[in-house]
Amino acid sequence: MAQTFHQEYMAVPPVTRTYTTACVLTTLAVQLDLLSPFQLYFNQSLIWRKYQIWRLFTNFTFFGTIGFNFIFHMIFTYRYCRMLEEGSFRGRTADFIMMFLFGGFLLTIMACFVNMVFLGQAFTIMLVYIWSKRNPSIRMNFFGMLNFNAPYLPWVLFGFSVLIDNSVVVDMMGIAVGHIYFYLEDVFPKINGGFRILKAPRLLRLLFDEEDEDEYGAVLDDTQPGGYNWGNREPAEPAEPAEPAAPAAGEE
């Protein structure tokens, strides 16, 4: 049993495994009174004046005490984080980490202007938005009551937040950051004169990615926007067979 759990755990992609584990351990530590939420929340004054830099990260890993809200958001976080890492970010761990850093940075900037001290839920909505935009044809079912295409999922969650009287600011922040990332990574590079703004630095690629060649030895074009068919190449047309040489004089 333990061996099976370990195998399943290690089968989870590395970034998803690291982030979800950090979220679960943080919540357990708070539940067991080993940590207090007051040690984790985002506070500009404590970060810049008291140098409590860890708050820039820990506010993304606490989803509240164990209960329905925690389980609901952890399921969504794990599911869509893993599908992104195994889907459009397969083999591009450095770019996936770059997305985490970019999204976390923008959400932190926004938190400076709104009364938001824990950003994990907004980060989850960002992941959901990016996944939904990259999988537009997938049909979704929400609690067995509503059927729709994937791009509507963030807005369905927004409506659900309204129904249960949750703050819609969280959803709007996640949707806004997810849309900015999607535009910069998937739309802007495809327009005339566009280019990839969020390409992972070479150091990140050296640390986390495999060789920049695919199994056929073709160099991957890292200027392609994120999403689909990374490294795919048109199959080469087979060479026409050479015509047989003319027989030498005197040969039949």
Side-chain angles (χ1 to χ4, degrees):
M1 180 68 179
Q3 184 66 20
T4 302
F5 174 78
H6 180 263
Q7 291 173 347
E8 291 295 327
Y9 177 73
M10 295 307 296
V12 178
V15 178
T16 301
R17 183 172 66 239
T18 301
Y19 180 58
T20 54
T21 299
C23 294
V24 171
L25 292 180
T26 301
T27 300
L28 287 176
V30 172
Q31 196 76 22
L32 297 173
D33 291 328
L34 300 176
L35 288 175
S36 166
F38 293 103
Q39 298 173 290
L40 308 173
Y41 75 100
F42 178 76
N43 185 303
Q44 298 180 65
S45 178
L46 293 177
I47 291 171
W48 306 121
R49 297 179 183 177
K50 301 293 184 179
Y51 306 109
Q52 296 182 7
I53 305 299
W54 67 83
R55 293 179 183 273
L56 290 171
F57 307 98
T58 56
N59 77 88
F60 286 97
T61 62
F62 182 63
F63 288 81
T65 54
I66 296 176
F68 173 78
N69 192 57
F70 169 77
I71 295 173
F72 179 83
H73 283 95
M74 282 308 304
I75 289 174
F76 267 78
T77 301
Y78 170 78
R79 176 178 172 81
Y80 292 99
C81 190
R82 179 168 185 171
M83 287 197 296
L84 274 174
E85 191 169 3
E86 291 182 335
S88 59
F89 286 98
R90 179 182 291 274
R92 301 194 299 127
T93 302
D95 283 317
F96 196 47
I97 293 173
M98 190 70 182
M99 183 203 72
F100 264 62
L101 295 175
F102 178 78
F105 173 77
L106 284 190
L107 287 172
T108 299
I109 296 298
M110 290 182 178
C112 294
F113 299 96
V114 297
N115 186 24
M116 191 72 61
V117 294
F118 289 105
L119 299 172
Q121 295 180 18
F123 190 80
T124 297
I125 297 297
M126 182 200 76
L127 295 175
V128 171
Y129 184 92
I130 295 170
W131 177 87
S132 69
K133 294 293 285 186
R134 289 186 171 180
N135 297 272
S137 61
I138 292 181
R139 292 289 292 172
M140 308 292 296
N141 181 282
F142 191 71
F143 289 135
M145 299 181 296
L146 192 62
N147 295 308
F148 51 89
N149 285 346
Y152 292 101
L153 179 58
W155 302 105
V156 171
L157 294 177
F158 176 86
F160 184 68
S161 295
V162 173
L163 287 177
I164 62 176
D165 202 27
N166 276 355
S167 172
V168 295
V169 175
V170 173
D171 298 78
M172 292 307 299
M173 287 173 62
I175 289 172
V177 173
H179 185 74
I180 292 171
Y181 178 86
F182 176 77
Y183 178 82
L184 293 178
E185 185 70 1
D186 290 54
V187 179
F188 180 69
K190 295 180 181 179
I191 67 177
N192 187 27
F195 57 93
R196 283 191 69 202
I197 297 175
L198 301 177
K199 182 172 66 175
R202 180 169 177 80
L203 177 61
L204 274 182
R205 298 203 304 272
L206 289 174
L207 289 174
F208 296 104
D209 288 349
E210 297 178 359
E211 296 181 4
D212 290 335
E213 293 190 352
D214 62 15
E215 59 181 337
Y216 303 104
V219 177
L220 297 179
D221 180 7
D222 61 4
T223 62
Q224 286 182 288
Y228 309 99
N229 298 324
W230 282 82
N232 283 359
R233 295 292 183 269
E234 293 286 341
E237 295 183 0
E240 296 183 0
E243 295 182 359
E251 291 185 333
E252 295 187 0

